[in-house]
Every structure is written in structure tokens, then in C-alpha cells.
Amino acid sequence: MKSFLEAGSLGRGGLETLVDEGSRIRDRLDAFEWDGRPLAGRTVANLFFEPSTRTRLSFDLAAQRLGAHVLTFNPANSSVAKGESLRDTAETVSAIGADVLVVRHSRDRAPAEVAEWTGNAVVNAGDGMNEHPTQAVVDLLTMRRRFGRLEDLNIAIVGDIAHSRVANSLMAALDPVGANVTLAGPSHWLPDRDDLPMVPSIDGVLESSDVVYLLRVQTERGGHIDQPYIDRFQMNEDRLTKMKPAAVIMHPGPINRNVEVSDTVADSARSLIGEQVRNGVPARMAVLGALEL
Ligand code: CP
């Protein structure tokens, strides 16, 4: 692929290839046997115009483990602070010698614009409320390694769906691989679509789900936390007991602890949150390795 901007762009075959490759890389990393350098001599620039811990650091490490040079850019101490535009910044980093631009930005479709302006391979690391496609690869990889399959898994996506680029990419990726998606959220946070079942409380998905995927309430994008929300949607110990014995919870992070998930559930053996973070590096190594450079 030339760039990776939207999770659904690859179709079932492309997504499964990334998951297969990510899983193979994860096994080799775990065994301290990774020795590939397919991006030796290439340069990956991480252009993060919004805060990030997991995505930025895992792209850094993924690119290093593939043998690439890594440029890490901080807008606060760059010429962006002097008013340089996104286009001029991207074209400058491209001219310096970057082969791959990894872009996180608050504006929908900014990474797609960067791809058009520069002609570089671009990976979307989260754009506004649009998409976060590598998070979807991380999540599919995590589900496949836990359940051995994606087909016919029942996945409930819960919470602040309206503001969530994670939810958009996850929905776009789960459909082609044959998983069944149900949405649970307050009516004002549910999307306007009629192709997915939707329920008004987390209690409506507990017994049927293999994965309850909790979303962060995005206060920086207009999400509001109040006690009625916590009462209807928080995953807590009592609700965990109503789930199937093998069912798990996931969350892309960062967590609002004791809002969408209680402390005890977040840190329990039924939580794959740490596993999602661990899969961030191999999943992004698979994505970077699949780019046509
Ligand atoms: N899940 C996720 O995108 O986390 P960061 O904002 O820490 O990168």
C-alpha cells in the first residue's frame, strides 16, 4: 500500500495480512528473535500535532526496530510556533529526506492532505474525529491473539462513539473481517446509521459480547462526564460478573479511571488494555513494513 489513511481501505485480505504479520512479529519480539531491518536507509518522521503517548512512542520504536532513521517532531518547539502552515511543515520534512510521514492532527483528513501535498507515504496516526486506523490494527491483532479468530466475534463498542476516531476505524475494520458489532451509548453519542444494532445502556451488551470495547469520554472534543453516564455505562465488577467467562474488556487508552471503567476491572485479568499497548509496536511494524517505498 502507498499510504494507510483509513482502516476500511484495505478490505478483509489486507487487514488479515497486517494481523498475520503483526502476530508473527510479536512472537519474534517476545522470543528476542527479531533481527529484520527492512527499512534500513529509510527515514520515518513522526509529525504529532496532538498529544500522544502510546501511538507516538510505538511508532518511534516500530520504525527503529525496522532499521529506519526516526525524526520526531514537536510542534511546540518547531516553526509551527512561528506560524508555519501544515503544508509548509510537511513539505519541509519531506524535503529534509523523510520517506514516511506519520501524522496525527486535530483536523479531519489532514493526513490525506499531507499525502497529496508531499507525495510521501503517509500513515494516519489519528485525525480529528475521523479515523485512527493503526489503532484498529492493534485491536484486531489483540482480539485475534486472544480468541484465535475474528469471524463471528461479538464486539460491543461502548460510550462516546460520536467523538471517537477509534470507534470509526474499529467499525470499518470489524465489518470486513466478519465480526458482529453492537453499539451502546447515550443517544446523543450514537451515530446516525441504521446498519448496526444500538442499545441505550451497557447492560444490554454484557451477556452476548465476547469483547466489550470501552471508549474514553473525549472531554477535549465536547464529551461531558456526569454521574448518570457513569451509572449507565461504567464497566465495573458487578457488570463483569454478568459477562461470559471468556469475555474480555478492551480500551484504546488513555483511560478515564472510574469513569468508563472501574480501577479494579481495568487492572483485572479480564482486561486486555495492557495487551493492546504491547501489540502497538508489532502492529505498527507490520503497517510500516507494508508501505510501498
Ligand atoms: N490510543 C491512543 O491513540 O493513545 P495515545 O493518544 O496515547 O497515542
Side-chain angles (χ1 to χ4, degrees):
M1 61 187 171
K2 171 67 181 163
S3 289
F4 189 40
L5 301 171
E6 296 180 343
S9 63
L10 297 181
R12 182 175 192 145
L15 288 164
E16 288 182 344
T17 297
L18 289 181
V19 171
D20 288 345
E21 180 64 1
S23 196
R24 187 184 72 85
I25 294 170
R26 167 77 196 258
D27 286 341
R28 292 184 67 194
L29 290 173
D30 284 355
F32 301 99
E33 287 174 353
W34 174 260
D35 59 359
R37 292 175 56 79
L39 295 191
R42 300 293 192 169
T43 300
V44 175
N46 289 322
L47 306 182
F48 279 63
F49 294 85
E50 279 192 329
S52 169
T53 299
R54 294 151 197 77
T55 312
R56 187 174 62 77
L57 292 179
S58 60
F59 266 114
D60 268 3
L61 192 52
Q64 290 176 42
R65 286 191 161 149
L66 292 168
H69 302 292
V70 180
L71 298 176
T72 297
F73 165 89
N74 178 357
N77 62 13
S78 76
S79 289
V80 170
K82 296 182 249 178
E84 189 163 49
S85 68
L86 174 62
R87 180 171 188 156
D88 285 342
T89 300
E91 289 179 346
T92 298
V93 176
S94 176
I96 285 170
D99 300 288
V100 181
L101 304 177
V102 178
V103 180
R104 171 171 288 194
H105 201 280
S106 59
R107 198 172 76 236
D108 289 13
R109 302 185 207 294
E113 291 174 355
V114 168
E116 282 174 25
W117 293 330
T118 63
N120 279 101
V122 173
V123 181
N124 181 355
D127 60 329
M129 296 193 288
N130 183 38
E131 285 244 10
H132 192 351
T134 64
Q135 181 68 50
V137 177
V138 169
D139 295 335
L140 263 54
L141 173 59
T142 304
M143 292 174 195
R144 236 271 303 271
R145 286 179 70 89
R146 169 56 67 118
F147 292 98
R149 70 184 210 284
L150 294 168
E151 179 96 39
D152 284 334
L153 283 182
N154 292 327
I155 314 295
I157 302 176
V158 178
D160 184 1
I161 297 160
H163 298 108
S164 177
R165 57 198 180 198
V166 169
N168 287 339
S169 287
L170 189 57
M171 288 187 281
L174 287 171
D175 178 56
V177 300
N180 308 309
V181 175
T182 300
L183 305 181
S187 56
H188 55 284
W189 284 350
L190 289 171
D192 183 19
R193 52 192 290 178
D194 54 15
D195 59 330
L196 293 175
M198 300 188 198
V199 296
S201 161
I202 193 172
D203 295 313
V205 298
L206 296 176
E207 292 171 14
S208 57
S209 299
D210 299 300
V211 177
V212 175
Y213 192 103
L214 306 158
L215 296 169
R216 181 172 66 87
V217 178
Q218 305 215 7
T219 50
E220 76 276 24
R221 297 188 209 284
H224 173 68
I225 297 169
D226 57 20
Q227 194 58 45
Y229 176 80
I230 293 171
D231 292 343
R232 269 169 63 204
F233 292 100
Q234 184 188 85
M235 177 57 77
N236 55 31
E237 281 180 280
D238 179 46
R239 285 174 166 143
L240 193 63
T241 64
K242 295 177 179 147
M243 291 171 58
K244 294 189 276 189
V248 295
I249 68 125
M250 295 175 65
H251 189 303
I255 305 170
N256 293 313
R257 281 186 177 265
N258 298 312
V259 176
E260 53 263 4
V261 58
S262 69
D263 263 337
T264 47
V265 173
D267 300 332
S268 74
R270 305 284 292 281
S271 165
L272 296 189
I273 296 171
E275 192 65 7
Q276 288 170 271
V277 176
R278 273 187 285 281
N279 284 329
V281 173
R284 293 181 171 109
M285 288 172 72
V287 169
L288 291 173
L291 296 172
E292 294 156 14
L293 301 177

